[in-house]
Amino acid sequence: MKQVLFNFTDKELEDFIINFGQPKFRAKQIKEWLNRGAPNFSVMKNLPETLRNQLNDICETLPVKIIKKLVSSDNQTTKFLLELFDGEQIECVLMRTTYGNSICVSSQAGCAMGCKFCASTLLGLKRNLTINEMFAQVLTAQWELRQDVFNNIKPNGDSNNNDVSHIVVMGTGEPLQNTQNVFGFLEKANHDLNISWRRITVSTCGIVPGIKELTNWGRPINLAISLHAPTDELRSQIMPINNKYKIHEMMDAAFEFSQTHNRQLMIEYILLGKKNENGETVIYNATEEHANKLSDLIQKHNVMVNLIPWNSVDERDFASLSGNAIHKFQDILINKGIHTRIRRERGADIGSACGQLRLKNKKEQSE
């Protein structure tokens, strides 16, 4: 197994280079490339070619390696299939927007939550990701943004910013099942990349002890709750975690976080349809009654509801709702005085929209 240089401390890297018969300053040069997200040694042009070839034989630069890269038709979204040191594979997504460049980071290889509408949980949970494996996803996106300069790709609008400005821990996995590594990763992103706490969002399906840990951690990040149903009966049908932590217990913990850190709480709500016996799409969780019950749950709190049209997953039997049904649901919430928006679909054509990220197996990789 090749050694991953990014995982070395400065002293370990320096000793490694000296033992390699190279002058000490080469370690500093390599470290600078690693911190930029260099995907391989061939790009390190200020190193001798012989050294680059030698390092390539026994080392990797980052703890993630790009296996495949998919770019959306509008060039605004890039999905990376990444391989970890043990052969597990994850996905992360770079989204170029008018307000900056956002990366959706995976926190686990696979997911144990079993949500019925999501692809991420189909192969179950393999393991937690390390601090460096999460940080390397950001560096991978950062390197891609540097290439945009050469390829003359700009986000919608006229932003010339070529840094990752926002992090959303909303990729594969449940972040609050991996709290210490997630916290360490975010501390590193804040310190090393100067990404503001207020531009970081962590999403959870409702791990109550984890939400309380997040509150006690004390960083003023944004919290997103994947709610997706306004009643325990309905939510338990599509989200098994609700059998352990009921809605009111989860929401009480989330409201406490919001109040403690003076942050608006984000409620994520996927709008689902089902096919009836006649093949017609009927509303599953987005009727007028559901909207009213959702309003009753959150109306007196500082929240923003993010409505998410369901993005197709082949293995799931839900259906997308019409635009009319989605806007009707939104209008009910707005008329109740609740800040509500419909999430813009990004990268659905490359399987990178909400709910479409998944753990890859070798068969899928080859297809």
Side-chain angles (χ1 to χ4, degrees):
M1 184 180 296
K2 291 185 176 182
Q3 300 185 76
V4 178
L5 295 191
F6 188 82
N7 290 337
F8 286 16
T9 65
D10 289 349
K11 180 66 166 58
E12 287 171 341
L13 181 59
E14 191 174 283
D15 290 344
F16 177 80
I17 290 301
I18 291 172
N19 290 336
F20 216 72
Q22 293 290 322
K24 186 169 66 174
F25 74 86
R26 293 291 185 206
K28 183 178 179 181
Q29 290 177 316
I30 292 171
K31 187 71 173 181
E32 288 174 349
W33 281 109
L34 296 175
N35 288 338
R36 294 179 203 171
N40 53 58
F41 295 102
S42 65
V43 301
M44 302 181 183
K45 298 300 186 184
N46 56 345
L47 301 183
E49 183 177 3
T50 302
L51 175 59
R52 282 182 274 150
N53 291 335
Q54 290 172 329
L55 290 173
N56 185 65
D57 288 339
I58 62 170
C59 300
E60 299 284 0
T61 56
L62 301 178
V64 302
K65 182 168 66 174
I66 298 175
I67 300 300
K68 186 182 294 186
K69 183 174 75 173
L70 298 174
V71 181
S72 63
S73 57
D74 62 2
N75 283 329
Q76 302 306 304
T77 303
T78 303
K79 180 171 76 169
F80 301 94
L81 172 61
L82 304 173
E83 187 167 81
L84 310 177
F85 75 93
D86 56 359
E88 296 295 348
Q89 295 177 353
I90 59 171
E91 293 179 330
C92 68
V93 181
L94 168 64
M95 297 162 284
R96 303 163 180 83
T97 73
T98 54
Y99 59 78
N101 300 304
S102 180
I103 180 170
C104 181
V105 172
S106 291
S107 56
Q108 296 179 310
C111 182
M113 294 296 97
C115 298
K116 304 303 183 185
F117 47 81
C118 185
S120 299
T121 193
L122 287 168
L123 295 180
L125 175 65
K126 300 301 181 180
R127 66 173 177 85
N128 289 332
L129 300 190
T130 67
I131 291 172
N132 282 350
E133 286 170 339
M134 286 181 273
F135 192 78
Q137 294 174 58
V138 182
L139 293 183
T140 297
Q142 198 95 289
W143 185 268
E144 181 75 5
L145 289 167
R146 296 291 188 271
Q147 311 318 302
D148 285 356
V149 176
F150 301 105
N151 297 325
N152 199 31
I153 297 174
K154 293 184 179 180
N156 294 318
D158 194 29
S159 170
N160 289 309
N161 180 14
N162 289 296
D163 293 315
V164 170
S165 58
H166 294 70
I167 293 174
V168 292
V169 190
M170 294 183 180
T172 303
E174 166 51 59
L176 298 188
Q177 281 196 321
N178 187 21
T179 50
Q180 293 311 305
N181 284 333
V182 168
F183 293 173
F185 153 59
L186 296 178
E187 293 279 7
K188 187 174 178 65
N190 173 259
H191 181 270
D192 292 4
L193 300 178
N194 199 32
I195 296 178
S196 166
W197 293 119
R198 297 184 181 276
R199 292 185 171 186
I200 294 172
T201 301
V202 171
S203 176
T204 178
C205 69
I207 309 293
V208 171
I211 297 172
K212 293 178 178 179
E213 267 191 274
L214 201 63
T215 302
N216 294 333
W217 182 43
R219 306 299 187 265
I221 64 170
N222 303 295
L223 175 63
I225 296 293
S226 293
L227 183 59
H228 310 313
T231 67
D232 283 322
E233 180 182 9
L234 183 60
R235 192 169 191 262
S236 293
Q237 291 175 18
I238 59 174
M239 301 182 72
I241 190 64
N242 200 73
N243 294 311
K244 186 170 186 178
Y245 304 113
K246 300 301 184 184
I247 288 177
H248 282 285
E249 183 184 5
M250 174 186 68
M251 295 307 297
D252 285 347
F255 292 144
E256 181 183 0
F257 175 91
S258 174
Q259 292 162 7
T260 299
H261 299 297
N262 193 29
R263 303 300 292 149
Q264 185 178 61
L265 180 67
M266 182 185 295
I267 302 296
E268 309 221 277
Y269 199 99
I270 289 181
L271 299 158
L272 299 169
K274 279 273 194 179
K275 296 288 186 182
N276 64 18
E277 293 179 355
N278 299 320
E280 301 167 328
T281 298
V282 296
I283 295 174
Y284 180 79
N285 69 341
T287 64
E288 181 176 348
E289 180 184 6
H290 293 133
N292 286 325
K293 287 183 176 180
L294 176 59
S295 299
D296 292 341
L297 184 65
I298 62 178
Q299 196 164 19
K300 296 180 180 179
H301 298 274
N302 180 20
V303 302
M304 190 277 290
V305 177
N306 206 8
L307 298 178
I308 307 170
W310 186 67
N311 298 297
S312 177
V313 176
D314 290 342
E315 299 90 339
R316 300 305 194 188
D317 62 354
F318 290 102
S320 300
L321 295 179
S322 68
N324 183 56
I326 292 170
H327 284 286
K328 184 177 180 180
F329 191 87
Q330 180 189 32
D331 289 344
I332 294 171
L333 298 180
I334 291 174
N335 289 336
K336 297 274 190 176
I338 296 170
H339 181 199
T340 309
R341 69 184 182 193
I342 299 171
R343 177 181 287 177
R344 179 185 170 190
E345 192 177 73
R346 295 183 184 278
D349 59 328
I350 56 172
S352 65
C354 183
Q356 291 183 320
L357 296 192
R358 61 178 71 212
L359 181 73
K360 291 286 184 178
N361 59 34
K362 296 300 181 182
K363 180 177 183 296
E364 289 175 314
Q365 178 192 326
S366 65
E367 292 175 346

